[in-house]
Amino acid sequence: MTHAQPAFFIGHGSPMTMITDNPERRFLETLGPLLERPKAILTITAHWESQGTTRISEGEFPRTIHDFRGFPQELYDMQYPAPLAADLHDKVLELAGDIPVRGDASWGFDHGVWGVLRPLFPEADIPVLAMSVNHSLSPEQHLELARRLAPLRREGVMIVGSGNVVHNLRLYHATHGTKPDWAVAFQDRITAAVIANDHGALTQFTRDDQAAANAINSGEHYLPLLYAVGARLPEDEVGVFNDSIEGALSMTSYMLGDPSVLNKVAAPIAA
């Protein structure tokens, strides 16, 4: 390992991204082979929510979870049989310290995990550890947990937050086919804050901030972003890719580390 592994936040969007022809998935499929192969991957997934304690996956080969309804059978047939990153499991428990984290064998690798890892690493041969979004933590505590986990990147662990910056299913159908002004404005300011490493702008929103209320909505798809930001290392630069908005859903993604590899894939998708 010549340098630290990157930290990512990847917009995973609809499960249909996995079986339709779209530039976002194609970008990930092309990016994967260009990345230095990690020893393990820690994925913080919007689709695993917990209270009180942050959960991490257990079991030799966690099951593939199809946590959605009403989609084509092709999606339910997809599997991602990656092995559990057992050594990483123990290391996360150690680094978390007094922030409550415990193992949980009842879940597995949900769409937030395989929806981003399958395009990047389709062979499913890299050990993976999934982590839940613990709603009992404040945004600042999510950032602190990420900061404690950041040293893993120097040990060959890729950290991947999986969610969406703008994610509001209630408004999605009404805004389908458009780029609402509020969504564009919110996405742009979050991108600026990620680049500037402005934690306050990423965690503090006023009561009258309607754009933030619309975009973050229930919060679980936004919070994984804080793990990529919180795991930032001093030498990191930020790259933006898959920068697209469809109604009340953005696919905008970030790479923290050496983002020059993104230029080898293709020109960024215009917002």
Side-chain angles (χ1 to χ4, degrees):
M1 193 68 61
T2 58
H3 50 76
Q5 276 289 323
F8 284 98
F9 174 77
I10 300 179
H12 63 240
S14 165
M16 291 299 291
T17 303
M18 300 299 294
I19 60 173
T20 56
D21 182 29
N22 57 85
E24 291 84 7
R25 194 188 77 240
R26 290 200 307 270
F27 194 100
L28 293 177
E29 290 172 341
T30 308
L31 175 63
L34 300 175
L35 297 172
E36 185 174 8
R37 181 183 172 89
K39 294 179 180 177
I41 304 171
L42 173 63
T43 306
I44 300 87
T45 168
H47 287 241
W48 191 8
E49 300 176 74
S50 63
Q51 294 282 351
T53 305
T54 299
R55 311 291 180 88
I56 53 176
S57 50
E58 288 189 336
E60 187 176 0
F61 287 92
R63 62 192 175 98
T64 301
I65 297 175
H66 304 90
D67 48 330
F68 41 77
R69 293 181 294 176
F71 287 89
Q73 185 59 41
E74 182 179 358
L75 276 168
Y76 299 99
D77 292 339
M78 286 186 172
Q79 298 292 314
Y80 197 73
L84 180 78
D87 292 343
L88 178 57
H89 173 283
D90 296 341
K91 189 68 173 179
V92 167
L93 293 177
E94 175 187 342
L95 291 174
D98 60 352
I99 298 177
V101 178
R102 70 175 178 85
D104 187 336
S106 69
W107 199 239
F109 297 153
D110 56 48
H111 172 246
V113 178
W114 60 266
V116 295
L117 297 188
R118 197 172 191 269
L120 286 170
F121 306 110
E123 298 302 318
D125 57 352
I126 299 172
V128 174
L129 187 73
M131 176 181 283
S132 73
V133 172
N134 177 7
H135 286 290
S136 298
L137 298 182
S138 68
E140 291 75 19
Q141 288 173 314
H142 286 291
L143 285 168
E144 172 59 20
L145 178 55
R147 186 193 66 78
R148 296 183 187 188
L149 298 176
L152 293 170
R153 294 177 52 201
R154 299 199 190 278
E155 300 176 14
V157 177
M158 180 181 290
I159 294 178
V160 179
S162 175
N164 297 97
V165 172
V166 177
H167 182 276
N168 190 323
L169 297 183
R170 180 176 57 84
L171 296 178
Y172 179 73
H173 293 293
T175 57
H176 181 69
T178 72
K179 295 181 180 179
D181 290 344
W182 61 264
V184 174
F186 184 78
Q187 182 61 74
D188 286 350
R189 77 192 220 214
I190 292 303
T191 293
V194 172
I195 293 171
N197 203 27
D198 185 345
H199 290 186
L202 294 168
T203 60
Q204 298 169 18
F205 305 103
T206 61
R207 290 182 179 273
D208 61 351
D209 190 341
Q210 192 58 50
N214 286 343
I216 296 176
N217 194 18
S218 52
E220 78 287 340
H221 277 72
Y222 180 84
L223 290 171
L225 169 64
L226 301 183
Y227 286 84
V229 172
R232 187 170 184 167
L233 299 173
E235 68 271 24
D236 283 348
E237 296 180 11
V238 178
V240 184
F241 62 100
N242 283 353
D243 193 14
S244 62
I245 295 175
E246 167 59 47
L249 180 71
S250 72
M251 293 290 283
T252 305
S253 304
Y254 308 105
M255 178 180 181
L256 289 84
D258 179 4
S260 62
V261 67
L262 300 176
N263 297 325
K264 300 177 182 179
V265 180
I269 298 170

